[in-house]
Amino acid sequence: MSASGLPDHPSSYWLESANADTLSFEPLDADIEVDVAVVGGGITGVTLAYLLAEEGKRVALLEAGRLLGGTTGHTTAKITAQHDLIYDELIHHIGEEKSRLYYEANMEALNFIRNQVEKHPIDCDLQNEDAFIYTTSESNIQKIDKEWAAYERLGIPGRRIGHIPLPVDSKAAVVMSGQARFHPVAYLKHLLRAFVDKGGLVFENTTALSSEQGDPLSKVTTSTGHTVECRHTVSCSHFPFYSMRGFYFARMYAERSYVLGLRMKEGYEYPGGMYISADNQPRSIRQVTYNGEKLLLVGGEKHKTGQGICTIKHYEALEQFARTTFGDWEIGYRWSAQDLTTLDKIPYIGRASDNEPHALVATGFRKWGMSTGTAAALLLKEMVLGIDNRYEELFTPSRFYADPALKRFLASNADVAKHLLEGKLEWVSRHPEEVEAGEGAVVQVNGKRAGAYREQDGTLHVVDTTCTHMGCEVEWNDGDRTWDCPCHGSRFSFKGDVVEGPAKKPLKVYTD
């Protein structure tokens, strides 16, 4: 535990409490042929693989690292159609009909999860909760009122209130009724077991490097040197592994956010509900009750990956908010997550490109992957089976709405160019031998920019800071002890290994 009360190392409550390590699978060690190759072992990939196996399809699920270890294992795990202040904006950009479809797709996903939990049953702390968006600023009251007006136009059950039942100075709030929360890893472990029981194939530590589309069979080449031949390829990885085809790296941006898990004091009565603020630096609050343990999850502090202040300060800001709001509680866990946002804030779900009907993709869930990730699996299942689906046009990756997509496209790519140039021109004066134990820093090696991290035992790791995706210079993330790319969100361990894409190759390591 640090002097501030934060745990020394980040760890996900979901992964630890559900013993995620008890599910373990070997890498792909032979060429195989299946009906469908699903790439990515998060909520979308696991749910889709399970659904297709139920339909009698032979499916291979490929995961670059450990199953559920990515964004799904680092979420706040709200299952809701309330995705910030979104519906007033959607109505103005895509109209009432498509905005209502967006709500209905997410509610169908929530009801699917409810049905699965009840059917099997699954012990995963599924609890029905209302979802609240509130503001502590007078200047945002009008935004709350516009969102409530959008709910009324779309027929979304809820209400508009003045104050929320938490000790914050809220000025206004909009409530969406009938939402839910759960333990995502406990839920998905059950689906994984069911998938394997139905003959599903699972391969961990198997990175999909490329996909060669063919007719009738396509071929996925992996990091193990083996291939998967299949009729359909579905990228459910955080970042599409065939991103160059749809230029997804230029059509999304990556943001990080942070979570603290506070152990609730005996006698405290949580008022119920899931909360998120509509203020400039949002705060997310929800309860956990699992295996006799009660936690309060406090999240927020979003920023673009690889950009901004020293990342440990985001944890410290959440800690200050938590202590001011709820008192001096023990912080049991801290972790962070990375999410991708599309140009119009609607996920890309469907055909990766127009000329490859059997290459599908799901990405860009914008921090709401429990509902939209499940909605993606339900839609992609029907696309694989050749069934028409009323949500296909809404989510298709080939769509383009000039407003607001064009403005965000120009701004995002101008930001990429700025950081690419800044990284190349940065003057670095420190050297690896100056880096202290527990410290990571940009250093100079043979006149070139490099990155160094020294472990507590004195072991020094030095890597080339040039991202292997498109050549931007990565920055040190002190809170999570990773090297993060400010251009497209790739992340690497302090040893240089890929933590998150779009990069597929590790950073170059200096051995001298």
Side-chain angles (χ1 to χ4, degrees):
M1 190 74 67
S2 69
S4 68
L6 293 169
D8 290 330
H9 300 280
S11 62
S12 163
Y13 169 77
W14 309 122
L15 296 173
E16 288 198 10
S17 61
N19 298 316
D21 289 342
T22 58
L23 279 179
S24 181
F25 299 90
E26 296 298 316
L28 180 67
D29 61 358
D31 296 344
I32 61 172
E33 182 179 327
V34 293
D35 297 318
V36 185
V38 176
V39 177
I43 190 168
T44 306
V46 170
T47 305
L48 176 61
Y50 163 74
L51 290 170
L52 290 172
E54 278 202 320
E55 296 291 334
K57 297 294 184 181
R58 181 168 168 80
V59 182
L61 178 61
L62 311 178
E63 167 56 43
R66 296 299 307 275
L67 290 165
L68 311 179
T71 302
T72 295
H74 294 82
T75 175
T76 54
K78 300 174 181 178
I79 322 170
T80 178
Q82 188 190 68
H83 300 166
D84 299 321
L85 298 176
I86 186 69
Y87 289 99
D88 177 63
E89 182 177 344
L90 288 180
I91 287 172
H92 282 88
H93 293 316
I94 64 175
E96 285 190 29
E97 182 180 354
K98 288 183 178 178
S99 299
R100 190 174 294 108
L101 284 175
Y102 182 91
Y103 169 76
E104 290 172 356
N106 284 281
M107 287 304 297
E108 284 186 17
L110 169 52
N111 289 326
F112 169 83
I113 293 173
R114 283 180 176 141
N115 291 337
Q116 292 298 312
V117 171
E118 181 179 357
K119 173 183 174 182
H120 289 292
I122 307 173
D123 180 14
C124 63
D125 186 34
L126 180 65
Q127 301 289 332
N128 293 325
E129 299 269 20
D130 287 347
F132 297 70
I133 304 177
Y134 70 93
T135 182
T136 60
S137 171
E138 296 279 355
S139 62
N140 284 334
I141 292 177
Q142 186 178 21
K143 293 180 181 179
I144 295 290
D145 290 336
K146 286 183 177 180
E147 189 72 357
W148 171 237
Y151 281 26
E152 292 186 302
R153 289 174 67 179
L154 299 175
I156 297 175
R159 61 193 185 278
R160 198 275 197 199
I161 60 175
H163 300 283
I164 62 173
L166 289 179
V168 297
D169 184 21
S170 60
K171 307 298 184 184
V174 61
V175 185
M176 184 178 289
S177 303
Q179 308 304 291
R181 60 174 171 85
F182 73 153
H183 191 307
V185 176
Y187 167 75
L188 290 167
K189 280 179 67 175
H190 181 91
L191 295 194
L192 271 168
R193 292 190 187 99
F195 171 64
V196 173
D197 289 345
K198 294 177 184 296
L201 305 175
V202 183
F203 303 100
E204 291 184 311
N205 298 308
T206 302
T207 303
L209 298 176
S210 63
S211 175
E212 180 183 340
Q213 295 296 300
D215 189 11
L217 294 179
S218 299
K219 181 182 291 185
V220 176
T221 301
T222 73
S223 58
T224 67
H226 298 287
T227 61
V228 180
E229 288 194 322
C230 52
R231 176 63 174 167
H232 297 274
T233 308
V234 190
S235 176
C236 300
S237 53
H238 187 59
F239 203 100
F241 79 95
Y242 31 55
S243 67
M244 293 302 291
R245 289 184 185 138
F247 291 95
Y248 291 98
F249 65 88
R251 299 167 58 201
M252 296 188 291
Y253 61 88
E255 284 189 336
R256 297 202 65 72
S257 56
Y258 301 81
V259 184
L260 299 180
L262 284 66
R263 291 195 169 96
M264 297 172 66
K265 285 193 172 180
E266 193 72 29
Y268 174 78
E269 292 296 328
Y270 184 72
M274 305 181 296
Y275 303 85
I276 189 166
S277 65
D279 302 323
N280 288 337
Q281 193 51 269
R283 295 289 181 259
S284 171
I285 303 164
R286 62 152 288 196
Q287 184 185 30
V288 175
T289 51
Y290 183 69
N291 282 346
E293 184 172 23
K294 289 187 177 181
L295 292 181
L296 195 68
L297 301 188
V298 177
E301 289 293 303
K302 69 177 182 179
H303 66 90
K304 283 193 174 182
T305 300
Q307 303 182 26
I309 62 175
C310 172
T311 51
I312 198 68
K313 294 187 180 299
H314 293 291
Y315 285 111
E316 292 172 349
L318 285 182
E319 179 186 15
Q320 179 62 37
F321 170 80
R323 296 201 187 284
T324 300
T325 306
F326 298 104
D328 190 21
W329 294 0
E330 179 190 356
I331 301 173
Y333 301 86
R334 69 173 174 94
W335 69 88
S336 64
Q338 181 152 308
D339 295 273
L340 296 168
T341 297
T342 68
L343 297 175
D344 56 15
K345 298 185 179 179
I346 302 170
Y348 296 136
I349 308 168
R351 292 178 178 84
S353 61
D354 288 338
N355 60 348
E356 293 176 325
H358 302 299
L360 306 175
V361 68
T363 188
F365 298 145
R366 198 176 63 92
K367 299 181 175 66
W368 303 104
M370 299 300 98
S371 55
T372 53
T374 302
L378 295 171
L379 170 56
L380 292 170
K381 180 202 79 169
E382 297 203 340
M383 294 186 73
V384 168
L385 298 177
I387 301 171
D388 290 336
N389 186 290
R390 66 193 183 115
Y391 302 121
E392 186 172 338
E393 180 182 354
L394 171 66
F395 292 113
T396 180
S398 64
R399 69 181 184 273
F400 182 79
Y401 302 111
D403 179 24
L406 182 58
K407 179 180 178 181
R408 288 183 179 142
F409 175 83
L410 295 173
S412 177
N413 286 281
D415 185 63
V416 168
K418 170 179 174 286
H419 283 278
L420 176 62
L421 186 62
E422 285 180 349
K424 300 301 182 186
L425 297 178
E426 180 183 2
W427 170 253
V428 180
S429 59
R430 294 189 70 181
H431 294 84
E433 58 270 18
E434 300 172 27
V435 176
E436 298 180 358
E439 182 187 12
V442 174
V443 296
Q444 185 184 124
V445 174
N446 298 326
K448 295 182 179 180
R449 190 182 194 271
Y453 174 75
R454 191 181 298 277
E455 297 188 63
Q456 292 294 342
D457 65 3
T459 304
L460 182 67
H461 302 274
V462 184
V463 298
D464 187 334
T465 57
T466 302
C467 179
T468 57
H469 175 229
M470 294 188 72
C472 292
E473 298 298 320
V474 298
E475 301 291 345
W476 177 246
N477 175 340
D478 187 53
D480 299 311
R481 300 178 188 179
T482 56
W483 293 101
D484 297 355
C485 178
C487 293
H488 302 112
S490 296
R491 298 177 64 233
F492 304 85
S493 73
F494 60 76
K495 296 180 180 180
D497 299 321
V498 176
V499 175
E500 296 198 55
K504 299 174 184 176
K505 297 179 180 180
L507 298 175
K508 176 186 174 183
V509 176
Y510 289 96
T511 55
D512 295 333

